[in-house]
């Protein structure tokens, strides 16, 4: 579908600013940070994200879709042989997602100005944040899978830089490496998926091209004749999402990523980057719908992640880790929603609204809010993160406590708040498609209410249990404003006045069964909250002690063994074999020659130098001899 | 006299001048700068100058009539890219601080001149001869100035000499066979352009192409450290003085690939697709990627790790050869350039670390990022480029190679047959796992050396401002080509695979 020319000229400059302004800021900070000074760097980063937010707001309410080429990338033969560009797909889904990314990005940068005040490496921090905004924008705007992969890896890089911001600390350095490498495993599958589609669809991996091809092109033939290939492609692409959105079994990097500064956790490891996997799956939801088996797997993995992560969250003590497991669990919900919608064979995508996108959108606000709230708490408690060493914060930090309570209420789905509406949408689809997953989802909802209430009671209510929490003070305005804005959105983001411009996010009416679903989820909410109150009110330490959950089902321990055996052990073995066999057999003859010729060379008593030149000289002389004396004879 | 002839002889003349007593560093720097700028100018003007045969700046001096040998120069797009790579890495290598300037600079200039000659000549005899000329200083520098005890460096030098000498002889046999095969009945000619024309107009049957292709594969492949003929390479690079390691692994080694893509492929376009050759090639390149990849993972020292990684990454270029489609072959050209720049950058930093720290054992290092932020950033550029991070040059080449194995462009049909994936596709998938392996060892190395708490007693400082230039230049080139691959792709618009759709 060729885009209308007037539309192109209108939005191309906006798109250019959205994508390239943060990159320009990152490069300026990289090159000129010494020259500009710390304050200018910080100002540039915050100002540029404000401009991007304005551009994103101006983009809202887009009708239809258009493709704009910002830059050529891999072009062969004028695009006839290979045509992959940095092309923007400008539609409701990307416009809505851009609003989320730039708004939270801006708020987090404002928050960071105060939070990171005493950090020595502020330019590096803000530069990396700008690089992240650039990369994330690229994922959101991408119109083809290769471009998405490019920026997919770049968010991996910026995440690596930000988790490892305090790289002198061994745990932070390890966590950044773990995050990058775990994502690389996901990207391994992602790339295979892209290549399969590239092959099947004759080199066209644009979303529009794939969609068209599925209707009446090579993909249609493939999905009818070679279903396995379609399923393989979908599951391989899904593997990318498993890495980036930290689904089982590649979830292990996300809790460790909490080693990064807390505002980074809010932006990247809660609201936006980790949601990229879900965003990508929604972009290709028409492909998911074409593969029954693929959709089932996606829904299953999502459901398992939602449930297991919620179980792990119930026994954590670190405030950020509780939120991290909660993020895993909520991402599981979204992934499950993609699978469920695909199982229904109903390709929603695009402007129609998708429950996964809807939950991504509401979750982004309340989870960013919760992380920034945790950041405010950690800041006030002098970097104490253990909730059992907090307590009584409500008295010292009333505004933070209020916003945290709002965020908690939204996350656990108190009716009337945004989280309730979007969770209902997902549970509604689950009710229709698969009762098992509905049960898992409802049970997860109960666990969510339980662990979040536990967190709130232990950290904010009761008496202070350490010096750091008894001396905590309310944070200053630059940190409170982002909290209040996000608290407002946590309540109202699912209301009509907010979601109307974000058409792609909104989902309305999911048929019958609605009242049953709603009843079950409100019951789950009540059970979870009451149980937490009964168990945790007024406690000094955790009365429950479930080793399996506290130790996260021993995933890390098992992986450590697997890496030792299958990676390091194999490397050791192969190195040994290589030395023995290849070097031994292939090089034995040369080695023997070395000894022989070496002796001869020494006999010449002219040192080693001549030896080498002699040997080579023989080659050249032989060549000349053959050419001058032998070949002319052959010619005749 | 063609510009190309001057470019080839400038390094030789500069080496001669230094030998005769000219100030070593000044002469070398001036010569390499002039060459760098000149080649850039030629690359910019190349599209306007190239002829119908896709050659530009042609010149020819006949040496022998029968067989026809001429000192003939001429650049097509690929030679232009290789020349750019050569002058870029030469510039950076010469800029390195060294303890014996004249000896080092003479050898660097000779390697550079030899490589330029090999890439810019169009006569097989001179292509071969220039490469041999460039090899001699490589061996000598490893033997005399290698970074190891005398016994050990002599052993390494000998091993390298024997392997490369044997590889060159196999190669010579293959080239002579090719000359006889494609001279077209009349008198023999070493003119590559004429040989290519003959191969295009009356190609050999595919089955007959196979043995000759395989011979050339082994000959050229040994020079590129193709598994299992690779075991000379890692010790050679780990032992060689820094400028030599940069020039050989970055530039001179690419000669073997240049030969495969520009001599073997045009003359024997079906050679790599004959089943037994393809199977052998796929197995060997998997040896490079997986076996050497795991060996790289096992290394404990930075120089050993980089040296092995350079061997491993050659597998991806052979994958481009095995795929043999226009997209994959053009991707290989990009990757050859990108790999040369990134490995030269990494060896340059590694050399500086060896001089300052005295040890490259990763377990003993740590926290250098705190003292030397500039070096950390440029090392990260090189490391992330070499593990294929998008936005840096290597990714563009790698992804084109992978894509080329799955589809031959927009217009033609899929390369995935109805009954399932082919051996080539499975190889690509295993090669993609190799990308994960490279990320593991590179990030482990980065973590061990640059992150963490600084080790007491080990101090590493950023270089003085004058020493930044070559490192920044190489990093900037990686970024520029990574973001705008068309900078190089536009030079190779003409089809590189015979019979491909133009």
């Amino acid at each position: 579908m060729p885009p209308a020319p007037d539309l192109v000229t209108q939005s191309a400059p906006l798109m250019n600013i959205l994508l390239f302004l943060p990159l320009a800021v990152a490069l300026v900070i990289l090159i000129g940070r010494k020259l500009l000074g710390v304050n200018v760097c910080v100002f540039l980063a915050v100002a540029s994200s404000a401009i991007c937010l304005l551009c994103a707001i101006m983009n809202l309410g887009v009708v239809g879709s258009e493709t704009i080429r910002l830059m050529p990338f891999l072009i062969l033969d004028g695009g006839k042989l290979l045509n992959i560009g940095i092309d923007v797909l400008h539609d409701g889904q990307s416009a809505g997602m851009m609003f989320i990314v730039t708004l939270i990005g801006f708020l987090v940068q404002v928050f960071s100005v105060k939070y990171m005040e005493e950090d020595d490496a502020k330019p590096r921090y803000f530069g990396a944040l700008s690089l992240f905004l650039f990369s994330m924008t690229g994922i959101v705007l991408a119109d083809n899978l290769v471009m998405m992969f490019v920026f997919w890896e770049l968010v991996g890089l910026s995440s690596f830089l930000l988790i490892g911001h305090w790289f002198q600390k061994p745990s932070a350095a390890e966590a950044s490496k773990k995050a990058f490498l775990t994502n690389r495993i996901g990207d391994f599958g992602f790339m295979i998926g892209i290549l399969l589609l590239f092959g099947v669809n004759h080199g066209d991996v644009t979303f529009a091209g794939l969609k068209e091809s599925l209707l009446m092109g090579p993909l249609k033939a493939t999905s009818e004749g070679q279903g396995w290939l379609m399923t393989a492609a979908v599951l391989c692409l899904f593997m990318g999402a498993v890495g980036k959105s930290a689904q089982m079994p590649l979830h292990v990097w996300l809790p460790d990523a909490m080693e990064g500064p807390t505002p980074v956790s809010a932006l990247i490891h809660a609201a936006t980057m980790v949601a990229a996997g879900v965003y990508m799956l929604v972009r290709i939801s028409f492909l998911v719908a074409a593969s029954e088996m693929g959709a089932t797997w996606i829904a299953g993995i999502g459901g398992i992640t939602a449930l297991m992560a919620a179980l792990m969250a119930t026994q954590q003590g670190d405030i950020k880790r509780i939120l991290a497991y909660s993020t895993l669990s909520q991402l599981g919900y979204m992934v499950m929603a993609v699978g469920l919608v695909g199982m229904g064979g109903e390709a929603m995508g695009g402007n129609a609204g998708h429950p996964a996108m809807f939950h991504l959108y509401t979750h982004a606000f309340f989870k960013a809010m919760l992380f920034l709230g945790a950041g405010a708490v950690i800041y006030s408690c002098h970097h104490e993160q253990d909730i059992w060493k907090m307590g009584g914060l409500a008295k010292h930090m009333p505004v933070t406590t209020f916003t945290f309570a709002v965020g908690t209420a939204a996350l656990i789905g108190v009716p009337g708040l945004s989280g309730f509406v979007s969770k209902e949408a997902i549970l509604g689809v689950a009710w229709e498609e698969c009762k098992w997953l509905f049960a898992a989802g409802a049970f997860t909802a109960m666990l969510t209410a339980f662990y979040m209430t536990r967190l709130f009671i232990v950290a904010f209510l009761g008496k202070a249990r350490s010096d750091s929490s008894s001396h905590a003070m309310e944070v200053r305005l630059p940190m409170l404003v982002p909290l209040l804005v996000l608290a407002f959105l946590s309540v109202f983001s699912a209301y009509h006045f907010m979601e109307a411009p974000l058409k792609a996010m909104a989902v309305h009416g999911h048929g019958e069964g609605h009242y049953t679903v709603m009843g079950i989820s409100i019951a789950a909410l009540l059970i979870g909250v009451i149980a937490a109150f009964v168990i945790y009110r007024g406690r000094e330490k955790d009365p429950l002690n479930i080793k399996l959950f506290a130790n996260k089902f021993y995933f890390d321990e098992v992986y450590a063994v697997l890496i030792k055996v299958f990676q390091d052990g194999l490397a050791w073995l192969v190195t040994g074999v290589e030395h023995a066999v290849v070097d031994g057999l292939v090089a034995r003859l040369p080695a023997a020659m070395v000894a022989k010729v070496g002796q001869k060379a020494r006999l010449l008593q002219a040192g080693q130098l001549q030896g080498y030149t002699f040997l080579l000289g023989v080659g050249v002389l032989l060549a000349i001899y053959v050419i001058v004396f032998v070949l002319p004879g052959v010619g005749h | 006299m063609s510009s190309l002839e001057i470019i080839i002889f400038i390094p030789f003349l500069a080496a001669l001048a230094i030998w005769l007593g000219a100030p070593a560093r000044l002469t070398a720097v001036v010569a390499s700068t002039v060459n760098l700028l000149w080649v850039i100018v030629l690359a910019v003007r190349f599209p306007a100058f190239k002829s119908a045969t896709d050659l530009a700046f042609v010149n020819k001096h006949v040496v022998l009539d029968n067989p026809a040998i001429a000192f003939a120069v001429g650049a097509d797009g690929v030679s232009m890219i290789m020349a750019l790579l050569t002058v870029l890495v030469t510039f950076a290598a010469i800029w390195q601080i060294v303890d014996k300037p004249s000896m080092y600079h003479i050898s660097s200039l000779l390697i550079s001149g030899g490589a330029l000659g090999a890439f810019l000549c169009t006569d097989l005899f001179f292509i071969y001869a220039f490469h041999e000329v460039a090899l001699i200083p490589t061996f000598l520098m490893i033997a005399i100035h290698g970074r190891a005890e005398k016994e050990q460096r002599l052993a390494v030098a000998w091993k390298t000499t024997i392997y490369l000498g044997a590889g060159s002889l196999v190669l010579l046999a293959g080239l002579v066979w090719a000359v006889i095969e494609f001279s077209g009945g009349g008198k023999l000619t070493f003119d590559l352009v004429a040989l290519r024309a003959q191969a295009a107009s009356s190609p050999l049957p595919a089955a007959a192409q196979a043995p000759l292709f395989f011979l050339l594969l082994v000959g050229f492949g040994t020079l590129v450290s193709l598994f299992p003929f690779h075991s000379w390479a890692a010790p050679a690079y780990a032992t060689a003085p820094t400028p030599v390691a940069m020039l050989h692994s970055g530039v001179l080694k690419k000669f073997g690939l240049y030969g495969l893509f520009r001599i073997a492929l045009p003359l024997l376009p079906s050679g790599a697709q004959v089943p037994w050759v393809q199977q052998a090639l796929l197995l060997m390149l998997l040896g490079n990627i997986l076996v050497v990849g795991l060996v790289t993972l096992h290394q404990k020292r930075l120089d050993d790790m980089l040296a092995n990684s350079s061997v491993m990454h050659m597998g991806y270029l052979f994958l481009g050869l095995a795929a043999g489609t226009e997209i994959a072959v053009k991707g290989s050209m990009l990757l050859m350039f990108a790999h040369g720049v990134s490995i030269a950058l990494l060896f340059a930093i590694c050399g500086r670390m060896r001089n300052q720290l005295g040890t490259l054992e990763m377990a003993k290092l740590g926290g250098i990022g705190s003292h030397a932020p500039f070096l950390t950033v440029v090392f990260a550029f090189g490391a992330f480029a070499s593990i294929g991070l998008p936005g840096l040059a290597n990714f563009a080449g790698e992804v084109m190679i992978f894509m080329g194995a799955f589809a031959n462009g927009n217009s033609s049909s899929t390369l995935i047959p109805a009954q399932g994936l082919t051996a080539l596709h499975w190889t690509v998938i295993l090669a993609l796992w190799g990308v994960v392996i490279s990320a593991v060892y590179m990030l482990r190395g980065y973590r061990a050396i640059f992150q963490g708490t600084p080790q007491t007693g080990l101090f590493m400082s950023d270089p003085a401002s004058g020493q930044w230039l070559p490192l920044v230049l190489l990093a900037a080139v990686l970024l520029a080509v990574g973001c705008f691959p068309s900078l190089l792709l536009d030079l190779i618009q003409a089809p590189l695979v015979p019979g491909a759709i133009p």
Side-chain angles (χ1 to χ4, degrees):
Chain A
M1 182 184 66
D6 54 335
L7 258 178
V8 171
T9 46
Q10 273 168 20
S11 44
L14 277 186
M15 294 299 166
N16 272 311
I17 296 173
L18 265 177
L19 186 61
F20 293 119
L21 180 64
L23 174 66
V25 169
L27 284 177
V28 166
I29 292 179
L30 173 70
I31 295 166
R33 63 189 182 283
K34 292 232 176 70
L35 209 68
L36 296 171
V38 174
N39 291 333
V40 178
C41 291
V42 174
F43 172 79
L44 279 178
V46 179
S48 68
S49 62
I51 295 172
C52 287
L53 173 60
L54 283 179
C55 292
I57 291 174
M58 285 163 73
N59 256 334
L60 286 176
V62 59
V63 181
S65 74
E66 57 168 337
T67 302
I68 308 163
R69 169 148 298 179
L70 298 186
M71 205 179 106
F73 183 50
L74 296 172
I75 310 287
L76 283 185
D77 201 15
K80 286 202 283 290
L81 195 57
L82 181 66
N83 188 7
I84 287 167
I86 302 303
D87 299 342
V88 161
L89 177 56
H90 184 209
D91 65 355
Q93 194 190 342
S94 65
M97 189 73 185
M98 272 327 294
F99 173 68
I100 300 172
V101 170
T102 53
L103 176 61
I104 299 179
F106 172 67
L107 292 174
V108 161
Q109 294 215 357
V110 171
F111 189 90
S112 299
V113 173
K114 187 81 191 153
Y115 189 88
M116 301 295 283
E117 202 173 19
E118 276 155 31
D119 198 273
D120 297 333
K122 264 195 279 188
R124 177 156 53 82
Y125 174 82
F126 280 92
L129 272 185
S130 296
L131 179 68
F132 168 74
L133 282 178
F134 161 69
S135 325
M136 188 68 206
T137 305
I139 292 184
V140 173
L141 296 181
D143 120 296
N144 63 67
L145 283 168
V146 174
M147 171 178 170
M148 192 176 256
F149 183 87
V150 166
F151 288 97
W152 194 264
E153 289 255 306
L154 289 179
V155 290
L157 172 71
S158 29
S159 164
F160 171 82
L161 295 175
L162 285 164
I163 297 171
H165 179 70
W166 293 308
F167 64 84
Q168 297 86 347
K169 207 169 128 194
S171 58
E174 285 301 326
S176 63
K177 187 182 87 184
K178 185 174 178 181
F180 192 89
L181 294 180
T182 315
N183 271 292
R184 260 281 155 119
I185 295 175
D187 294 353
F188 161 72
F190 193 9
M191 185 41 99
I192 297 174
I194 295 174
L195 291 174
L196 290 176
L197 290 174
F198 186 88
V200 173
N201 203 28
H202 306 184
D204 181 4
V205 284
T206 61
F207 296 116
L210 290 169
K211 206 167 193 170
E212 200 182 295
S213 166
L214 190 60
L215 284 177
M216 47 177 191
L219 268 185
K220 182 168 192 272
T222 304
S223 69
E224 283 160 4
Q226 294 161 279
W228 62 271
L229 193 53
M230 202 68 196
T231 301
V234 167
L235 286 177
C236 284
L237 292 177
F238 174 56
M239 202 167 151
V242 169
K244 193 77 38 191
S245 289
Q247 298 295 294
M248 300 264 172
L250 296 183
H251 64 286
V252 288
W253 67 271
L254 185 59
D256 288 20
M258 299 298 126
E259 288 287 342
T262 307
V264 167
S265 315
L267 175 63
I268 300 184
H269 305 116
T272 55
M273 182 189 88
V274 288
V278 177
Y279 181 86
M280 182 268 277
L281 289 175
V282 175
R283 267 281 186 242
I284 58 155
S285 54
F286 57 94
L287 292 175
V288 177
S291 163
E292 172 99 42
M293 197 186 3
T296 313
W297 269 94
I298 293 174
I301 297 272
I304 291 171
T305 306
L307 184 61
M308 288 184 69
L311 288 172
M312 297 184 224
T314 58
Q315 284 284 293
Q316 303 301 316
D318 181 317
I319 185 168
K320 284 184 74 180
R321 283 188 178 251
I322 299 174
L323 293 176
Y325 283 105
S326 158
T327 305
L328 287 181
S329 170
Q330 299 297 311
L331 289 166
Y333 265 128
M334 299 174 211
V335 168
M336 184 176 89
V338 174
L340 288 167
V341 171
M343 282 161 74
E346 188 182 350
M348 285 180 128
N351 291 326
H354 193 294
M357 241 7 242
F358 189 28
H359 196 58
L360 187 165
Y361 156 73
T362 59
H363 173 261
F365 295 124
F366 59 68
K367 191 51 71 63
M369 204 260 100
L370 287 170
F371 265 107
L372 288 187
V377 168
I378 294 166
Y379 182 84
S380 302
C381 295
H382 305 104
H383 297 276
E384 180 57 66
Q385 297 190 192
D386 187 351
I387 57 170
W388 294 101
K389 292 188 178 147
M390 296 176 183
L393 292 174
K395 272 177 284 192
H396 306 296
M397 309 176 68
V399 186
T400 304
T401 307
F402 165 73
T403 55
F404 204 93
V406 171
T408 304
L411 170 57
I412 65 181
V414 171
L417 273 65
S418 62
F420 174 76
V421 188
S422 56
K423 197 181 284 179
E424 282 315 283
I426 293 177
L427 290 177
V429 187
W431 180 261
E432 283 164 29
E433 294 298 332
C434 175
K435 293 286 187 295
W436 283 105
L437 286 173
F438 174 80
F443 189 62
T444 304
M446 189 205 79
L447 290 171
T448 311
F450 177 77
Y451 68 71
M452 283 310 293
T453 313
R454 165 182 179 263
L455 163 63
F456 191 79
I457 293 171
V458 173
F460 290 91
L461 305 182
K463 284 196 289 270
R465 282 182 300 273
S466 75
D467 282 350
S468 43
S469 70
S470 58
H471 294 129
M473 291 214 304
E474 184 60 280
V475 291
R476 299 287 188 79
L477 211 56
M479 284 163 86
L480 281 183
V481 171
L483 285 178
L484 289 167
V485 173
L486 287 170
F488 174 84
L489 288 166
S490 306
V491 178
F492 293 109
S493 61
Y495 283 60
H496 189 66
F497 72 95
M498 271 305 297
E499 59 165 36
L502 301 148
K503 288 185 209 67
M505 312 299 164
V507 173
H508 295 289
H510 247 280
E512 309 82 50
H514 226 187
Y515 290 105
T516 332
V517 173
M518 199 184 286
I520 293 175
S521 70
I522 291 177
L525 167 73
L526 290 175
I527 296 171
V529 172
I530 291 168
F533 258 98
V534 170
I535 297 176
Y536 286 103
R537 191 138 186 230
R539 297 289 180 152
E540 290 294 310
K541 60 184 190 41
D542 201 330
L544 299 180
N545 185 7
I546 307 169
K547 280 261 153 38
L548 187 63
F549 299 168
N551 290 319
K552 316 143 207 169
F553 294 93
Y554 299 96
F555 267 100
D556 282 317
E557 286 76 6
V558 171
Y559 285 177
V561 172
L562 288 180
I563 289 173
K564 234 189 166 60
V565 174
F566 285 101
Q567 184 186 289
D568 299 344
L570 197 63
W572 171 82
L573 191 71
V574 167
T575 309
V577 171
E578 199 241 20
H579 273 295
V581 178
V582 179
D583 229 26
L585 294 182
V586 184
R588 186 153 298 156
L589 188 69
M593 281 170 67
V594 169
K596 280 261 162 60
V597 182
Q599 281 167 0
K600 294 241 169 70
R602 243 171 264 138
L603 286 179
L604 292 171
Q605 286 300 316
Q608 299 286 344
L609 261 164
Q610 280 81 347
Y612 308 112
T613 26
F614 171 74
L615 201 74
L616 279 160
V618 168
V620 175
L621 284 176
L622 192 68
I624 292 172
Y625 172 79
V626 166
I627 288 159
V628 177
F629 297 103
V630 181
L631 290 186
V634 177
H636 292 299
Chain B
M1 208 166 188
S2 155
S3 294
L4 300 181
E5 288 165 333
I6 302 173
I7 286 172
I8 295 170
F9 284 115
I10 282 178
F12 287 116
L13 291 176
L16 184 68
I18 295 174
W19 188 62
L20 293 174
R25 187 167 167 78
L26 182 70
T27 315
V29 166
V30 168
S32 66
T33 312
V34 168
N35 248 5
L36 174 66
L37 297 176
W38 200 331
V39 171
I40 290 175
V41 169
L42 288 187
V44 171
R45 287 155 53 111
F46 172 74
F49 274 75
K50 69 176 177 190
S51 64
T53 53
D54 204 44
L55 280 175
F57 319 115
V58 182
N59 202 9
K60 190 169 180 176
H61 306 279
V62 173
V63 177
L64 259 188
D65 257 340
N66 188 17
I69 293 179
F71 181 65
V73 293
D76 59 8
V78 178
S79 332
M80 221 57 241
I81 291 178
M82 299 314 291
L84 274 171
L85 172 66
T86 311
V87 291
L88 203 60
V89 174
T90 306
F91 179 78
I94 288 207
W95 209 278
Q96 294 294 306
I97 299 249
V98 286
D99 38 4
K100 294 236 173 47
S102 50
M103 181 80 180
Y104 274 72
H105 289 322
I106 289 175
S107 65
S108 293
L109 287 166
L110 289 180
I111 297 175
S112 175
L116 283 170
F119 294 138
L120 293 173
C121 282
T122 57
D123 185 281
L124 283 185
F125 175 78
F126 281 96
I127 292 176
Y128 182 83
F130 269 116
H131 174 252
E132 295 285 303
V133 166
L135 279 183
I136 295 172
T138 313
F139 303 136
L140 292 181
M141 287 302 281
I142 294 176
I144 300 168
H145 288 295
R147 300 295 180 145
E149 294 301 310
K150 193 174 179 201
E151 283 293 300
Q152 200 198 333
R153 66 178 193 248
L154 287 181
V156 171
W158 272 113
K159 191 173 179 184
T160 313
T161 311
I162 304 260
Y163 262 92
L164 295 188
S168 297
L169 286 179
V170 173
L171 171 60
L172 184 64
L175 290 179
V176 169
W177 183 351
V179 164
I180 295 169
E181 198 74 63
F182 290 106
S183 281
K187 65 178 182 182
L188 297 176
T189 177
F190 280 71
D191 181 355
L192 184 55
V193 182
L195 293 172
R196 280 185 198 146
Q198 174 69 19
S201 61
S202 50
L204 282 183
Q209 293 185 12
L212 177 49
F213 188 91
F214 191 75
L215 193 64
L216 289 174
L217 181 65
V218 171
F220 280 124
T222 308
L223 305 179
V224 203
S225 61
L226 173 64
F227 185 92
F229 313 109
H230 66 286
S231 51
W232 60 273
Y237 296 150
T239 314
T242 307
V244 176
M246 289 168 72
L247 276 165
H248 194 276
S249 67
V251 179
L252 197 55
K253 188 196 220 183
K254 305 292 180 298
F255 169 76
L257 293 160
Y258 176 81
L260 283 170
F261 281 107
R262 299 308 293 145
I263 299 171
L265 187 67
L267 295 182
L268 309 157
S270 311
Q273 307 305 324
V274 174
W276 71 268
V277 179
Q278 171 132 41
Q279 281 156 16
L281 178 55
L282 292 180
L283 282 177
M284 291 194 280
L285 73 91
L286 280 178
N288 274 77
I289 293 175
L290 294 180
V291 175
V292 181
L294 286 167
V295 171
T296 313
L297 202 54
H298 190 67
Q299 301 307 314
K300 308 283 181 246
R301 291 160 48 94
L302 178 65
D303 50 355
D304 289 336
M305 188 190 89
L306 293 178
N308 277 289
S309 88
S310 147
V311 177
M312 172 197 182
H313 286 146
M314 292 304 105
Y316 294 94
L317 290 155
F318 287 106
L319 183 59
L321 184 69
T325 58
E326 194 65 30
I327 300 179
V329 169
K330 285 190 169 151
S332 308
M333 300 303 111
L334 266 186
L335 184 57
M336 268 209 268
F337 180 87
H339 178 267
V341 176
S342 61
I343 196 72
L345 177 61
L346 290 171
F347 271 128
I349 299 170
C350 174
R352 192 184 156 77
M353 290 173 65
R354 175 158 42 201
N355 290 342
Q356 271 208 337
L357 296 168
T359 179
L360 289 172
E361 212 151 312
M362 292 191 264
K364 290 186 185 159
L365 300 173
I368 285 173
S370 308
H371 300 309
F374 167 78
L375 278 183
T376 310
V377 171
V378 281
F379 187 90
F381 262 86
F384 278 104
S386 86
I387 64 175
L389 186 82
L392 298 171
N394 305 47
F395 171 78
E398 280 175 17
V399 81
M400 279 173 70
I401 292 172
F402 297 146
M403 292 193 294
F406 279 83
N408 198 1
N410 282 349
S411 41
S412 55
S413 58
T414 172
L415 296 179
I416 303 177
Q419 61 272 23
L421 299 181
T422 63
L424 178 65
H425 297 136
W426 287 110
T427 307
V428 170
I429 289 171
L430 289 172
L432 276 167
W433 187 252
V435 177
V436 178
I437 296 178
S438 348
V440 172
Y441 63 67
M442 271 299 175
L443 284 198
R444 269 189 185 179
Y446 184 82
R447 157 77 186 90
I449 296 168
F450 293 96
Q451 298 183 309
T453 9
Q455 300 288 310
T456 45
L458 285 176
F459 186 76
M460 177 87 202
S461 64
D462 270 340
S465 55
Q467 287 294 309
W468 288 30
L469 183 66
L471 301 180
V472 169
L473 180 68
L474 295 182
V477 166
L478 287 174
L479 186 65
V481 175
C483 294
F484 306 99
S486 56
L487 287 174
L488 297 185
L489 288 179
D490 283 353
L491 290 173
I492 44 173
Q493 280 170 343
L496 297 179
V497 181
I501 312 129

